[in-house]
Amino acid sequence: MNRIFSGIQPTGNLHLGNYLGAIRNWIDLQNEFECIFCIVDLHALTQPQDPAELRGSTREVTAAYIAAGIDPERCTIFNQSMVSAHTELAWLLSCLTPIGWLNRMTQFKEKAGKHREMAGLGLYAYPVLMAADILLYKATHVPVGEDQKQHIELARDIAGAFNRRYERDFFPLPEPQIFGTATRVMSLRDGTKKMSKSDSSDYSRINLTDSGEMIALKIRRAKTDPEPLPSTIADLEHRPEADNLIGIYAALCGLSREDALGKFAGRNFSAFKEALSEAAVEVLGRIGDHMRRLMAEPGYIDGVLRCGAERARAIAEPVLREAQQISGLLRP
Ligand code: AMP
Ligand code: TRP
């Protein structure tokens, strides 16, 4: 049986990359599979957070899931810290994970920056907690953006290490699902950098709660080059900003990159940016409005999270107990 698990950190503003690279691709999955969508608040703590803001962001990500079209009746939506089995399984798995595997994680290198000795142990160990998130539900598929591929490969390796150590097929090896036409949305100010929640330049990303005017302004200011748009995708190769905007347009309109480019081949950026703005405002405007309505009802959001946590625990706790038993922990 297939089971989907994915999550987003409640840190800062959700942006177009989170939507096109992740959330949007989850919507169709819920019709076919059992889906569990988490707000990974323990992961957020790997970097300093303001406590009140963290609580607000946790509700905001929940609102974004629902506003984007995830049905809390059909799917399990919960915040990670409500299910203590995540951290308990993470410990069992961390004891089986060679440090060498963690040293290869590029996201740690990026986030720790130059001051690696000062980086928190949690930031370093985070991929093991992520593996626990997935394996605790014996999830088979994990839909994420491109940047998470390495972490899911690590989760597969860790599942394999557990299965080999105890000589049984206990954890299925999860498959990453990286789909859509915008698996890696880049910054609007620099086509070589990922659009990210932590970028200090406000004009680099479109937030899900941005107003229509703000979205249009950010797109108008988006970096481009002086050439008109080419007619083939291959000609976008050394034009990262143009390539990124075409990818975003294609994803928003449900077109292939080729078809998206075909509509604007030979035209200059101003006409294209106008069409892009219209598409972005149409899709995100609806989601932003719905998010604001939901955020005005924190009681409703908390109810969704409580109910989701209960459902999540019902799956997670028996798996944790079995993993503990297999590992030789006595539960008298
Ligand atoms: P994060 O913001 O790191 O919690 O990421 C949450 C989800 O959004 C993950 O599945 C990421 O792969 C995805 N994601 C984050 N940033 C981008 C981006 N710039 N382009 C595509 N997907 C992204
Ligand atoms: N590490 C992911 C990110 O930063 C979030 C995440 C945590 C996650 N646990 C997960 C994603 C489990 C998929 C499955 O984007």
Side-chain angles (χ1 to χ4, degrees):
M1 191 199 60
N2 287 334
R3 184 181 277 153
I4 310 285
F5 185 98
S6 198
I8 295 188
Q9 299 194 40
T11 45
N13 290 308
L14 280 173
H15 54 71
L16 186 61
N18 297 129
Y19 178 65
L20 296 178
I23 307 174
R24 195 182 79 136
N25 303 316
W26 304 349
I27 311 298
D28 291 337
L29 294 169
Q30 66 185 333
N31 300 324
E32 278 182 71
F33 305 109
E34 181 187 357
C35 291
I36 304 170
F37 297 121
C38 191
I39 297 96
V40 288
D41 50 5
L42 296 172
H43 283 273
L45 290 179
T46 56
Q47 310 225 280
Q49 303 295 336
D50 174 87
E53 270 176 32
L54 177 57
R55 277 186 283 272
S57 294
T58 301
R59 291 196 178 109
E60 189 174 297
V61 177
T62 312
Y65 286 2
I66 300 170
I70 291 167
D71 178 357
E73 300 286 323
R74 273 187 294 167
C75 304
T76 298
I77 302 178
F78 74 106
N79 56 316
Q80 189 185 22
S81 61
M82 288 287 282
V83 182
S84 58
H86 288 247
T87 42
E88 293 182 71
L89 181 63
W91 179 257
L92 300 186
L93 300 179
S94 68
C95 295
L96 295 172
T97 306
I99 290 177
W101 292 0
L102 293 177
N103 287 341
R104 290 205 294 268
M105 296 298 114
T106 53
Q107 197 177 67
F108 173 74
K109 291 179 201 162
E110 277 165 29
K111 287 200 177 174
K114 286 191 214 100
H115 309 288
R116 202 176 298 181
E117 291 299 309
M118 288 304 292
L121 175 59
L123 186 67
Y124 184 67
Y126 145 126
V128 182
L129 180 59
M130 177 161 164
D133 298 339
I134 298 166
L135 301 180
L136 194 51
Y137 299 90
K138 296 194 171 181
T140 54
H141 294 82
V142 188
V144 283
E146 178 72 38
D147 62 324
Q148 294 300 316
K149 190 163 176 229
Q150 194 184 36
H151 290 153
I152 296 166
E153 279 161 5
L154 181 78
R156 289 171 68 86
D157 290 343
I158 293 176
F162 185 98
N163 293 347
R164 269 193 312 282
R165 166 77 65 94
Y166 299 109
E167 298 178 332
R168 68 194 75 201
D169 262 345
F170 184 64
F171 290 121
L173 306 190
E175 292 280 346
Q177 288 182 304
I178 297 168
F179 32 45
T181 32
T183 56
R184 191 174 173 80
V185 177
M186 308 310 276
S187 155
L188 299 181
R189 305 298 309 158
D190 177 352
T192 63
K193 261 176 41 190
K194 201 182 69 158
M195 185 177 284
S196 102
K197 291 176 187 144
S198 54
D199 196 318
S200 56
S201 155
D202 283 343
Y203 287 98
S204 72
R205 66 171 170 267
I206 294 176
N207 299 318
L208 296 191
T209 47
D210 278 347
S211 66
E213 294 81 55
M214 184 53 85
I215 293 172
L217 178 64
K218 287 178 177 175
I219 291 175
R220 269 202 307 281
R221 293 221 179 153
K223 187 174 168 203
T224 49
D225 55 46
E227 301 294 317
L229 283 153
S231 50
T232 62
I233 294 289
D235 291 329
L236 285 176
E237 200 184 327
H238 299 293
R239 300 174 65 184
E241 285 83 14
D243 186 55
N244 184 41
L245 295 181
I246 287 289
I248 293 174
Y249 182 77
L252 286 170
C253 299
L255 297 170
S256 67
R257 295 171 85 89
E258 286 75 11
D259 289 347
L261 184 59
K263 288 178 67 169
F264 299 97
R267 315 256 311 262
N268 60 25
F269 278 98
S270 61
F272 168 58
K273 280 183 166 181
E274 221 162 280
L276 177 60
S277 238
E278 216 170 279
V281 171
E282 153 102 26
V283 174
L284 299 187
R286 210 170 352 101
I287 296 174
D289 287 346
H290 193 176
M291 275 176 76
R292 274 183 284 276
R293 285 199 301 278
L294 288 165
M295 290 294 284
E297 280 188 79
Y300 168 73
I301 293 186
D302 291 1
V304 166
L305 291 173
R306 265 197 303 274
C307 169
E310 212 166 290
R311 283 195 242 163
R313 267 185 232 117
I315 305 172
E317 282 174 359
V319 175
L320 174 68
R321 297 295 163 241
E322 212 180 329
Q324 288 172 325
Q325 195 266 333
I326 292 170
S327 307
L329 300 175
L330 180 68
R331 303 195 58 79

